[in-house]
Amino acid sequence: MRWDSLFSDLEAQFSAERALRDESEITERARVELGGIELSDRLRGVVGSGIKVMLMDGSVLQGGLSHVGSEWIVLTEGARQWLIPHGSVLSYQGLGRLAVKEASRVQRSLGIASALRALSRGRIPLVVYLAVRNGGGHKLDGVIDRVGSDHFDLAVVPQGEERRAGSVAAVVTVPFVAFTAISSPGGQEF
């Protein structure tokens, strides 16, 4: 009888040690897996849901997340849409734990320049919000004429007017790092 008790006790200790070791291994694997999740993956996990975004100029935007690119998101706030580069965001609120990997290499390669080229092709009137350290920012109304690898040219026109040669007040070159967001002024979708 003593031998049975001794072996039962040893089996229990061995099982407890193995369970602890397995639990530790699972926890470590979860940490490693979490370390490979990118912000874009977490953002794709909440597409269609409402989130709150604080921009580097201090402004806060809230709306439904409708698109996620490799370097940008599109937030829909009522009738207005916002193209927001990841680099201009200080924080996101409302992201869940779900992470979704990008479905294709093509979508993964679509950077901010690709999104701006699409806006340029559509000749969509836009409001470009520039990052200004003092004074809460600055905005320009216009249409994107050309997009380079790290900048774009904006034909500045009075708000509500079409882009025509006679209505262009100036052409402003904006480096990608200098804008915090681009919005569609009256409910036009990107």
Side-chain angles (χ1 to χ4, degrees):
M1 266 325 203
R2 286 187 179 169
W3 288 96
D4 289 339
S5 176
L6 177 65
F7 288 130
S8 293
D9 187 43
L10 285 174
E11 279 182 29
Q13 286 179 11
F14 180 73
S15 292
E17 286 177 19
R18 184 168 37 191
L20 185 61
R21 196 171 48 241
D22 289 348
E23 186 178 319
S24 176
E25 185 177 330
I26 289 169
T27 302
E28 184 59 28
R29 283 183 186 177
R31 282 189 188 121
V32 168
E33 187 176 311
L34 183 60
I37 294 175
E38 295 180 5
L39 177 59
S40 293
D41 299 337
R42 297 224 13 234
L43 287 164
R44 274 188 292 281
V46 294
V47 167
S49 300
I51 64 170
K52 188 184 285 187
V53 178
M54 178 182 278
L55 301 178
M56 64 184 185
D57 66 0
S59 59
V60 176
L61 301 174
Q62 189 167 350
L65 182 61
S66 53
H67 300 285
V68 178
S70 63
E71 301 172 341
W72 50 272
I73 63 170
V74 173
L75 196 65
T76 302
E77 179 186 43
R80 179 176 287 219
Q81 287 191 305
W82 296 86
L83 174 72
I84 305 167
H86 290 317
S88 70
V89 177
L90 291 177
S91 66
Y92 297 91
Q93 187 176 341
L95 301 187
R97 294 184 177 270
L98 179 64
V100 176
K101 290 286 185 188
E102 188 63 63
S104 74
R105 285 185 179 170
V106 173
Q107 288 178 329
R108 197 174 311 131
S109 66
L110 297 177
I112 195 75
S114 299
L116 293 171
R117 283 186 189 99
L119 294 173
S120 175
R121 277 191 304 276
R123 309 302 287 165
I124 298 172
L126 304 167
V127 180
V128 177
Y129 295 81
L130 301 176
V132 179
R133 296 200 192 280
N134 298 326
H138 180 71
K139 67 180 186 172
L140 299 168
D141 293 289
V143 175
I144 296 176
D145 275 347
R146 299 183 328 161
V147 179
S149 64
D150 60 353
H151 67 282
F152 63 92
D153 289 344
L154 183 75
V156 178
V157 296
Q159 188 174 11
E161 285 194 29
E162 295 287 321
R163 195 254 186 254
R164 293 188 179 87
S167 65
V168 175
V171 175
V172 178
T173 300
V174 180
F176 291 168
V177 297
F179 79 93
T180 58
I182 293 177
S183 73
S184 57
Q188 281 192 289
E189 289 192 10
F190 293 149

